[in-house]
Amino acid sequence: MADLFTNSKQAEKYAEARPNYPNELFDFIASKTPRHDLVWDVGTGSGQSAVVLAEKYKYVVGTDVSQQQLDHAQKLPNIRYVHTPDSLSLSDFHADVAPPDSVDLVTVAQALHWIDLPSFYEQVRSVLRKLDGVIAVWCYVEPVVDPAVDAAFWRLYNWSQPYWAPQRKHVDERYRNLEFPFEPVQGEASTGPYEFVTEKKMNLNAFLTYIRSWSSYQTAKKKGVEMLSDETVADFMKAWGSDGEEVKTVKFPIFLKIGKVGAC
């Protein structure tokens, strides 16, 4: 993932274009942790989740392999951002991020499919509080606007498939088949996925900026392919109407998996 999101312009596009997450999502997650002292927000990027979590928990540690992403993160007194390498020994991880058995909640927003899961889950089990520490991971999928824009979007999205990394299949599958070896949290019969939705107001330029923030867009660009060709932009312009200036409500379905350490 690191080389797809580390250049400064791409990090800026990501911070500008990506949707925020709804309060209902964070309220649900926070209701499942008995304590509200410390959160580890993994793949924090520009701090979208960390900022909200900082309102509900005393301290948040946000980590990311991209310093450029962290440079665009909002700074708050109870958030500590840490630039982490792709690989980190457990002892260094405990020193730099969090000591063993100290974290109430681990969160991963739109990033779990990029992570080496065996190593990551070892870190999760080591830092979460035993028995009641919670891990919550979620992804959002293809946006929904209106029938005309959605049709144009899916023409592009289907055409773009060769440029997506293989891990993207986990997002397309709503994280249903992604390894998640944890127990259901209190009050729930399974680890999910549970569905939420977030909304973002966009004109066509903002919507195209969102597309330019895709990892597949960057991959295509490196191969000399402009995903948003004049023809494709014209297709979106026709579908959007109003010369692209109309602000539309763009909905992003979110799929959450949540579990606790338990005896694992």
Side-chain angles (χ1 to χ4, degrees):
M1 177 183 72
D3 61 341
L4 295 175
F5 298 108
T6 51
N7 75 74
S8 181
K9 288 185 178 179
Q10 174 64 2
E12 187 174 353
K13 281 191 177 71
Y14 196 101
E16 173 189 351
R18 294 302 175 110
N20 293 319
Y21 305 113
N23 286 330
E24 293 81 2
L25 172 71
F26 293 104
D27 288 343
F28 176 79
I29 293 170
S31 72
K32 302 302 181 181
T33 61
R35 302 187 189 189
H36 295 79
D37 294 327
L38 178 61
V39 181
W40 173 30
D41 185 42
V42 186
T44 196
S46 55
Q48 288 173 310
S49 296
V51 169
V52 182
L53 290 164
E55 298 174 358
K56 302 178 184 298
Y57 292 81
K58 291 181 181 178
Y59 301 102
V60 177
V61 178
T63 63
D64 205 287
V65 298
S66 169
Q67 183 60 54
Q68 286 78 5
Q69 289 276 354
L70 295 176
D71 288 342
H72 289 85
Q74 182 178 344
K75 309 303 189 289
L76 291 175
N78 63 332
I79 300 178
R80 179 170 63 92
Y81 292 109
V82 180
H83 177 224
T84 52
D86 286 327
S87 60
L88 196 65
S89 71
L90 201 56
S91 60
D92 287 341
F93 168 77
H94 288 151
D96 294 346
V97 178
D101 195 26
S102 66
V103 173
D104 301 302
L105 173 66
V106 174
T107 55
V108 192
Q110 198 69 7
L112 188 66
H113 51 287
W114 297 113
I115 296 173
D116 175 61
L117 294 184
S119 175
F120 172 61
Y121 286 151
E122 180 184 13
Q123 294 171 340
V124 169
R125 293 190 185 96
S126 73
V127 297
L128 276 183
R129 294 188 186 276
K130 300 303 179 284
L131 300 181
D132 57 12
V134 169
I135 174 172
V137 306
W138 63 91
C139 65
Y140 57 85
V141 297
E142 298 74 29
V144 178
V145 185
D146 59 39
V149 175
D150 295 349
F153 175 88
W154 280 100
R155 283 191 287 273
L156 174 62
Y157 188 72
N158 290 334
W159 176 86
S160 72
Q161 289 307 302
Y163 302 104
W164 289 103
Q167 299 96 315
R168 174 70 188 189
K169 70 177 183 179
H170 292 300
V171 176
D172 291 333
E173 294 169 354
R174 279 66 172 150
Y175 277 5
R176 291 189 184 95
N177 300 315
L178 193 145
E179 179 188 1
F180 194 72
F182 299 95
E183 298 180 3
V185 294
Q186 185 175 3
E188 305 301 330
S190 74
T191 58
Y194 298 95
E195 188 170 356
F196 296 82
V197 66
T198 188
E199 297 181 353
K200 189 176 179 71
K201 300 292 186 180
M202 293 180 165
N203 61 14
L204 178 57
N205 183 62
F207 192 75
L208 296 181
T209 299
Y210 155 70
I211 291 173
R212 292 187 183 98
S213 75
W214 289 356
S215 60
S216 62
Y217 182 90
Q218 300 305 309
T219 298
K221 196 83 169 176
K222 290 178 181 178
K223 295 183 177 181
V225 176
E226 176 50 62
M227 191 175 288
L228 289 175
S229 64
D230 291 344
E231 180 181 359
T232 300
V233 172
D235 189 29
F236 275 111
M237 182 72 74
K238 180 180 178 181
W240 201 276
S242 304
D243 294 328
E245 293 303 318
E246 180 184 353
V247 174
K248 296 179 181 285
T249 299
V250 182
K251 296 182 178 181
F252 293 85
I254 296 172
F255 293 87
L256 166 75
K257 299 200 78 169
I258 185 168
K260 64 179 182 179
V261 176
C264 64

